[in-house]
Amino acid sequence: VPPAAKPGFHIARVDVERATLTWITDDGPLDVTLALHASDISADEGKRFPVDLQLEIGEGRMRVAGDVGILPPTYTGNFEWNGLPIPRLLLASVPQFASWLRAAKSSGDLQLDADPMGAKGTAAMRVSGRLSFDALAVSDPKGTEITLGWQQLEVVMRDVYAPLPQPGKPLATTVAVLDSVKLIAPEIRYTRPSPQLDALLGIDLSGGATVGGKKPAAAGPPKSEKPAAKKPAVAAKAEAGPAAAAPLDLAIALLQMT
């Protein structure tokens, strides 16, 4: 008896010329326009098909145009953006960080080759192109603890090859060859204590309330002075030590900071 055919599907063409929606955020409505063109769509193993997705979000633009595979998931093509309203998008997606971002402008034109499942032998992502972060300003909500910003950060990548983590295998080396890195007018301020940053990161360094420099005595009978046994998870983590960082082989042809 011949084996049953694998279930699948095929769509000859999808064309969305212009679809509009309004994203309701805490900072007011945000208009989004979408255009999508794809053809010969299939989930057959090893099959790829062309996709062109364009988004207009507020005054910003984003476009993904290339070849997509479903089994296994792959993508080869371009990813470009310009003028996206990053602070408003941050407010809508992760509002706990939104109050920290005062200003941000970004643009980019990247060529991507993403193979997360290792269809070509090694699970990895390869990137080249240019990206820029302009007019960045990050500060704690009160503006007294942390300040980070610059007028422009531009990175031109000739080739960045980043292997993806694989279970049970050591971290492979990321190889980055950059034509240029330019940083203009950076500003950094960091102070301690930084309760706003600690609260954002969920860090509690208070050590409990104190009275006159000493912790108040607990009510009721005195507690045993015997130290508490370490939890197995903590002990195991201590024995394992800190996780090793991924190796990086970095070459920069031009590094400029003004």
Side-chain angles (χ1 to χ4, degrees):
V1 178
K6 294 182 179 180
F9 66 88
H10 180 268
I11 300 174
R13 191 172 186 86
V14 173
D15 286 307
V16 180
E17 294 297 337
R18 184 179 178 86
T20 61
L21 60 94
T22 301
W23 189 357
I24 304 299
T25 73
D26 292 340
D27 198 35
L30 187 61
D31 293 330
V32 179
T33 302
L34 176 147
L36 172 64
H37 302 280
S39 60
D40 200 19
I41 303 168
S42 173
D44 293 342
E45 187 170 356
K47 179 69 175 180
R48 290 191 173 201
F49 53 91
V51 171
D52 187 345
L53 171 65
Q54 301 179 52
L55 289 174
E56 297 180 9
I57 306 175
E59 300 297 325
R61 305 287 186 274
M62 183 174 71
R63 183 180 185 186
V64 178
D67 292 332
V68 175
I70 297 179
L71 289 177
T74 57
Y75 175 75
T76 302
N78 291 358
F79 175 41
E80 57 184 277
W81 70 93
N82 183 43
L84 295 176
I86 297 176
R88 296 189 64 186
L89 292 175
L90 201 64
L91 179 64
S93 55
V94 280
Q96 65 271 30
F97 298 113
S99 60
W100 285 71
L101 186 63
R102 305 304 175 90
K105 295 181 179 179
S106 178
S107 62
D109 187 355
L110 304 179
Q111 291 75 53
L112 304 178
D113 187 355
D115 184 12
M117 302 301 292
K120 301 176 182 178
T122 301
M125 176 176 291
R126 189 179 294 275
V127 184
S128 63
R130 171 193 171 276
L131 60 86
S132 177
F133 296 93
D134 303 332
L136 179 71
V138 177
S139 178
D140 62 279
K142 293 184 178 180
T144 58
E145 301 173 9
I146 309 294
T147 296
L148 171 65
W150 53 70
Q151 181 177 327
Q152 183 185 43
L153 171 63
E154 181 187 63
V155 180
V156 179
M157 296 172 284
R158 183 183 306 173
D159 184 42
V160 176
Y161 177 77
L164 301 178
Q166 297 294 302
K169 295 183 179 180
L171 295 171
T173 301
T174 294
V175 180
V177 181
L178 310 182
D179 287 331
S180 66
V181 176
K182 297 181 181 179
L183 178 61
I184 300 176
E187 178 187 1
I188 301 174
R189 182 177 72 247
Y190 177 73
T191 65
R192 293 297 300 170
S194 298
Q196 296 284 337
L197 180 61
D198 293 341
L200 182 71
L201 300 178
I203 300 174
D204 181 10
L205 301 179
S206 64
T210 60
V211 178
K214 297 181 179 180
K215 292 185 179 181
K223 295 182 178 180
S224 172
E225 298 297 329
K226 184 179 180 182
K230 286 185 177 181
K231 295 181 180 180
V234 176
K237 184 176 181 181
E239 293 173 2
L248 173 64
D249 184 351
L250 174 64
I252 305 175
L254 173 64
L255 176 62
Q256 175 182 339
M257 184 170 67
T258 301

Short mmCIF file of all heavy atoms in Angstrom, two decimals, residues 19 126 151 205:
data_model
loop_
_atom_site.label_atom_id
_atom_site.label_comp_id
_atom_site.label_asym_id
_atom_site.label_seq_id
_atom_site.Cartn_x
_atom_site.Cartn_y
_atom_site.Cartn_z
N ALA A 19 -4.96 47.73 2.88
CA ALA A 19 -5.83 47.46 4.03
C ALA A 19 -5.44 48.42 5.14
O ALA A 19 -4.26 48.61 5.43
CB ALA A 19 -5.66 46.02 4.50
N ARG A 126 22.52 35.44 8.51
CA ARG A 126 23.54 36.27 7.87
C ARG A 126 22.91 37.61 7.51
O ARG A 126 21.81 37.65 6.92
CB ARG A 126 24.10 35.58 6.62
CG ARG A 126 25.32 36.31 6.04
CD ARG A 126 25.85 35.57 4.81
NE ARG A 126 26.39 34.27 5.13
CZ ARG A 126 27.65 34.06 5.54
NH1 ARG A 126 28.47 35.07 5.69
NH2 ARG A 126 28.05 32.83 5.78
N GLN A 151 23.53 61.72 18.98
CA GLN A 151 22.94 62.37 17.80
C GLN A 151 22.76 61.38 16.67
O GLN A 151 21.75 61.39 15.97
CB GLN A 151 23.84 63.52 17.35
CG GLN A 151 23.31 64.30 16.15
CD GLN A 151 24.21 65.45 15.79
OE1 GLN A 151 24.84 66.06 16.66
NE2 GLN A 151 24.30 65.77 14.51
N LEU A 205 17.47 45.87 46.23
CA LEU A 205 18.72 46.00 46.95
C LEU A 205 18.53 46.67 48.31
O LEU A 205 19.49 47.09 48.94
CB LEU A 205 19.72 46.83 46.12
CG LEU A 205 20.06 46.25 44.74
CD1 LEU A 205 21.02 47.17 44.01
CD2 LEU A 205 20.66 44.87 44.88
#
